[in-house]
Amino acid sequence: MISKTAEYGLRAVIYIAGREDDQPVRANEIAHDLDVPANYLSKILHSMARAGILTSGRGPRGGFRLAKPPEEMNLAEVVGPLDPALLDETCLLGNPSCSDHNSCAVHERWKRVKEPLLAFFARTTVADVLGGGAVVP
């Protein structure tokens, strides 16, 4: 459903948010604990820092932190910069113009799938995922 890049980024954000302390977390530690390729994850983390999802610091006390509290960060904010096609409104068949008034062959069916998906990512926060409670559909 989502790209590996977005999956790894989301898993990293949840990992960072779930830490007991507020200390920066190094990319190698995250990669090791999540069993993902370290170089690939490092690039993803730096991309997320440029997008404002994470903050980063260099040096012996450096690492990554969430840019804002988990309660204020929805999943769309996390995966959007990493997998823009997932959350955009483009035509599934790649048509330059596709809307309710000028629709492609699959527009109505795709709309019924896409709208709840977009709502899920927009309404679900990182804190919701951490809490393991009911997630708003």
Side-chain angles (χ1 to χ4, degrees):
M1 171 73 49
I2 65 175
S3 69
K4 273 293 181 196
T5 301
E7 176 193 331
Y8 289 167
L10 182 58
R11 289 176 60 198
V13 163
I14 293 166
Y15 177 88
I16 294 167
R19 306 243 330 165
E20 295 292 322
D21 58 17
D22 189 35
Q23 298 302 309
V25 188
R26 304 194 61 63
N28 286 340
E29 177 185 342
I30 300 169
H32 177 268
D33 288 352
L34 296 180
D35 194 28
V36 299
N39 288 341
Y40 186 33
L41 183 64
S42 180
K43 290 176 185 177
I44 294 168
L45 295 173
H46 285 286
S47 174
M48 293 172 78
R50 284 190 300 277
I53 300 163
L54 301 173
T55 61
S56 66
R58 295 177 176 232
R61 292 189 176 151
F64 295 90
R65 290 183 175 144
L66 297 183
K68 59 185 178 180
E71 304 80 31
E72 298 174 17
M73 184 179 297
N74 66 44
L75 301 187
E77 293 174 75
V78 177
V79 301
L82 301 173
D83 195 355
L86 178 68
L87 302 179
D88 69 8
E89 297 290 333
T90 59
C91 176
L92 181 65
L93 299 180
N95 294 335
S97 175
C98 187
S99 66
D100 289 340
H101 303 293
N102 183 25
S103 60
C104 71
V106 296
H107 179 77
E108 285 304 314
R109 286 181 163 178
W110 180 238
K111 181 179 172 182
R112 289 193 303 263
V113 172
K114 185 82 168 197
E115 286 179 351
L117 178 71
L118 293 174
F120 168 79
F121 281 104
R123 293 181 185 147
T124 305
T125 67
V126 172
D128 292 332
V129 176
L130 281 175
V135 177
V136 178

